[in-house]
Amino acid sequence: QIIDGKATAAEIKKEIAEEVEHIVAGGGKRPHLAAVLIGHDGGSETYVHNKVLACEACGFQSTLIRYEDDVTEEELLACVDRLNNDTDVDGFIIQLPLPAHINKQRIIERIDYRKDVDGFHPVNVGRLAIGLPCYISATPLGILTLMRRYGIKTSGKKCVILGRSNIVGKPMSQLMMQKHYGDTTVTVCHSHSANLEEECRQADILIAAIGKPEFVKADMVKEGAVVIDVGTTRVPDPTRKSGFRLCGDVRFDEVASKCSYITPVPGGVGPMTICMLMLNTLAAGKKAYYD
Ligand code: GUN
């Protein structure tokens, strides 16, 4: 079965919009997300544009703040301070990647963790690790939500994650390990893993997040496995208006027939990511995790 992330995301955004109207009807405040975009990277422009559109669909207020590539670290830190102190802003994100002269970690750690709807601040990362309520990074949360909505049983299964990034691999491994989330036995593979292909073949659930187009081939997948493709590499394609197409980490054409469930690229995990940011923003508006 092909997992339809686009349809699932649309469903969830509709549920969020209904809840927002309920909150507003009861005299409550519309959730407000601010996004900071630095420079003109094509991918970041598209993501942030889609985040603003998703806010509209959910009935949120949104604010877009732009800086040029030559913004200084001090200017960005001052912007973070302003957003931290703006009582109307419930949550905000600094779109990554940042220019090389900016210390990313210093910016992230300056964000008030109570407004960190990306779930990148060490307080949120740490709270996730010990199973406390917190903002969870959108891509891992989106993957878990897809599996739940499709009724995929995870408890006790063997889960292999390809990639150990801070945004996907690491938080995904936490979620898949924990009792009240995935409750699976987790193996994290990366560029220096020995026997990576053999590890993959053992997986009941294989989550590919290494950013290498078509890395996962049919002979690396167990019959009946659930395969989640997080890859979104832009590869040149002159037949497209944009000049590129998105390519996943999995050879969909040869892997799909072996799987019980598989996510396509595009239309699988991608649409869920922004949707989970909306869910985190709703939680921020409701002060669900922190006062
Ligand atoms: N760049 C790529 N993915 C993300 C994300 O989830 N959040 C932010 N802030 N930047 C990103």
Side-chain angles (χ1 to χ4, degrees):
Q1 192 177 349
I2 294 175
I3 295 178
D4 188 340
K6 201 172 162 188
T8 308
E11 224 173 80
I12 294 173
K13 277 188 276 190
K14 192 161 160 277
E15 291 164 15
I16 294 173
E18 283 165 7
E19 188 168 345
V20 168
E21 289 324 307
H22 183 74
I23 290 168
V24 172
K29 174 183 169 302
R30 240 173 236 293
H32 183 180
L33 175 73
V36 181
L37 174 59
I38 296 116
H40 299 274
D41 171 73
S44 294
E45 291 265 7
T46 305
Y47 284 132
V48 171
H49 177 68
N50 288 335
K51 286 171 187 179
V52 170
L53 291 181
C55 282
E56 281 170 26
C58 292
F60 296 169
Q61 193 185 337
S62 68
T63 300
L64 173 60
I65 299 166
R66 300 197 68 133
Y67 288 95
E68 291 303 321
D69 275 314
D70 60 0
V71 66
T72 66
E73 197 168 297
E74 296 312 317
E75 283 174 298
L76 267 190
L77 289 168
C79 173
V80 169
D81 288 340
R82 278 195 301 279
L83 291 168
N84 283 341
N85 294 321
D86 185 335
T87 50
D88 198 65
V89 172
D90 297 296
F92 65 98
I93 62 152
I94 312 291
Q95 186 66 27
L96 306 177
L98 298 177
H101 67 277
I102 307 278
N103 180 338
K104 176 178 81 176
Q105 203 54 30
R106 190 160 172 235
I107 302 292
I108 289 174
E109 292 190 27
R110 188 74 154 243
I111 298 171
D112 184 334
Y113 65 89
R114 294 167 297 186
K115 293 190 177 189
D116 169 39
V117 285
D118 262 331
F120 293 167
H121 190 284
V123 168
N124 284 309
V125 176
R127 287 176 67 97
L128 170 62
I130 56 176
L132 295 177
C134 63
Y135 297 113
I136 298 173
S137 177
T139 302
L141 187 59
I143 292 168
L144 190 80
T145 303
L146 276 179
M147 290 196 282
R148 283 188 171 168
R149 292 233 169 188
Y150 274 80
I152 296 169
K153 299 257 188 304
T154 56
S155 182
K157 299 280 170 65
K158 181 166 169 60
C159 176
V160 172
I161 297 166
L162 300 180
R164 55 179 161 184
S165 70
N166 289 344
I167 294 188
V168 185
K170 279 189 202 119
M172 193 78 241
S173 69
Q174 292 288 352
L175 273 182
M176 292 308 285
M177 175 180 65
Q178 287 184 32
K179 185 167 184 167
H180 297 294
Y181 295 107
D183 199 27
T184 67
T185 304
V186 179
T187 302
V188 179
C189 293
H190 48 77
S191 52
H192 289 90
S193 295
N195 306 320
L196 180 144
E197 300 200 358
E198 183 49 36
E199 294 286 356
C200 290
R201 276 190 286 276
Q202 305 289 322
D204 302 308
I205 301 163
L206 179 62
I207 302 175
I210 38 170
K212 289 189 184 162
E214 307 195 319
F215 180 83
V216 176
K217 297 154 194 71
D219 65 1
M220 293 162 66
V221 175
K222 180 160 93 174
E223 199 70 45
V226 174
V227 174
I228 307 290
D229 189 347
V230 188
T232 53
T233 308
R234 288 180 164 197
V235 299
D237 184 343
T239 71
R240 304 285 176 101
K241 199 169 64 182
S242 61
F244 68 87
R245 68 186 164 86
L246 288 184
C247 187
D249 288 350
V250 177
R251 282 196 191 176
F252 185 90
D253 291 344
E254 60 177 67
V255 169
S257 61
K258 294 186 83 177
C259 302
S260 53
Y261 292 89
I262 186 167
T263 63
V265 175
V269 174
M272 289 299 287
T273 299
I274 290 180
C275 179
M276 294 299 106
L277 175 66
M278 299 299 117
L279 213 50
N280 283 345
T281 303
L282 176 63
K286 294 194 316 191
K287 310 260 180 281
Y289 307 138
Y290 309 111
D291 305 323

